[in-house]
Amino acid sequence: MTAKEDPTVWAVLVSPEAAAAVVTLVGAVLAAYWGGRAGGKGAVAAAQAQNRGMADQAAINARRAIYAEFARDARALADGLEAYLMAPGPDPDADTAAYLQVLDRARWSVDVVSIEGPGPVRDAAQLVIDEAMSCRTKESQHVSAVAAFNKLYSLRGTDDGHQFEAFLAVEQEVEHIRDAARVLPQDWRFLAQAWAEDASTNLRTCWQEEREMLSPDETPAYEDVATLVDLIRDDDEPGAPLSAALQAGYLTSQEASKIITYTVTWAEEDDPRQRVLRGLIPMQDALKAFVMKANRVLHPEESEEDSGDP
């Protein structure tokens, strides 16, 4: 006998309770199925997010190492450049070789930074190298003058009273030459130095000849030119401070000549060391800018806080 033939069985199967049980069972099966799928997707998404986080952290760590290496090499370059310009040794070739070594290392490091990026950090690193090379080109012309002034100022720190007295005398003479040179235009400073080096020169005649080629407004007073010429010529006299320093062996003739030439040419400067120190500032600023840009890449959340962005 089938369910249809048995009224009792049929009534049970089509009862509301039976229908509700079927619906509940089907719902449970579907819920288990879709819940399993949702749970699987969630696990996959979580794993993917974890992998992305690990990859991002690995990339940050790689960049941190590359940036730190460049910063180290750039600092060595800055120190090497300052040593090359500010404290030249007795062997210019050795100084140049030492500078080129740190420059090559820094240029290799900037190539690695360029590969890793991003653009702002790459450009900041390249600017450090560009400023270093520009500084060396502009300031290397003063290296020999820096060495001469270093030699002069070494007499100031000596315990030898004679050397200290010689330093004071030369320093005072240099100040007089500097004051006299400042009164003259640059071209006339060169002329005055050339006339001073030739003892047979008739100064007034030379001054008049130059005056005829220029307008009176462009010609400095004869007395101003003569003052500078006389100060430079006095250095050849045995009692002159620079001559006395030469005789005592405190300075060489080349060092004395470098001191006079720089003082006459760059009379507005205290000494070449101050000029070179100012010339180093652009590279130092470029290195600071690189560190700031690298920090923004490695720590973007700090950059947002500093800028006030939400």
Side-chain angles (χ1 to χ4, degrees), residues 9 17 21 33 49 94 119 169 171 185 197 200 210 225 234 276 279:
V9 173
E17 292 79 3
Y33 172 76
E171 185 181 43
E197 292 172 355
S200 63
E210 288 294 328
V225 177
D234 286 344
V276 171

Side-chain angles (χ1 to χ4, degrees), residues 99 105 266:
Y99 163 76
R105 177 68 187 183
W266 306 100

Side-chain angles (χ1 to χ4, degrees), residues 131-154:
E131 291 292 357
M133 298 177 67
S134 175
C135 176
R136 182 180 183 273
T137 299
K138 291 187 295 186
E139 306 302 334
S140 60
Q141 59 180 315
H142 304 303
V143 168
S144 58
V146 168
F149 274 86
N150 285 343
K151 184 71 170 295
L152 171 62
Y153 279 89
S154 68

Side-chain angles (χ1 to χ4, degrees), residues 11-25:
V12 172
L13 291 176
V14 299
S15 67
E17 292 79 3
V22 171
V23 170
T24 300
L25 177 62

Side-chain angles (χ1 to χ4, degrees), residues 139-198:
E139 306 302 334
S140 60
Q141 59 180 315
H142 304 303
V143 168
S144 58
V146 168
F149 274 86
N150 285 343
K151 184 71 170 295
L152 171 62
Y153 279 89
S154 68
L155 303 176
R156 179 174 55 186
T158 182
D159 294 332
D160 188 322
H162 295 294
Q163 291 187 21
F164 184 70
E165 290 176 2
F167 162 75
L168 293 178
V170 172
E171 185 181 43
Q172 186 176 25
E173 183 179 18
V174 168
E175 282 300 319
H176 290 160
I177 293 174
R178 181 177 289 116
D179 290 341
R182 285 174 177 168
V183 178
L184 303 179
Q186 192 72 39
D187 292 343
W188 281 88
R189 298 177 192 179
F190 295 142
L191 289 172
Q193 187 171 5
W195 294 336
E197 292 172 355
D198 187 354

Side-chain angles (χ1 to χ4, degrees), residues 226-295:
T227 297
L228 179 58
V229 171
D230 290 342
L231 284 169
I232 299 175
R233 281 179 174 174
D234 286 344
D235 294 325
D236 296 330
E237 298 179 1
L242 274 171
S243 293
L246 290 175
Q247 292 297 323
Y250 301 148
L251 296 172
T252 66
S253 58
Q254 184 178 19
E255 289 166 345
S257 177
K258 289 293 183 181
I259 290 172
I260 293 175
T261 298
Y262 184 88
T263 302
V264 171
T265 305
W266 306 100
E268 290 73 22
E269 305 285 347
D270 291 336
D271 66 56
R273 297 175 301 175
Q274 298 301 318
R275 181 182 183 87
V276 171
L277 286 174
R278 285 194 293 273
L280 290 167
I281 291 176
M283 182 196 174
Q284 296 166 348
D285 289 344
L287 180 53
K288 292 177 182 177
F290 167 80
V291 173
M292 291 179 61
K293 290 184 181 297
N295 187 64

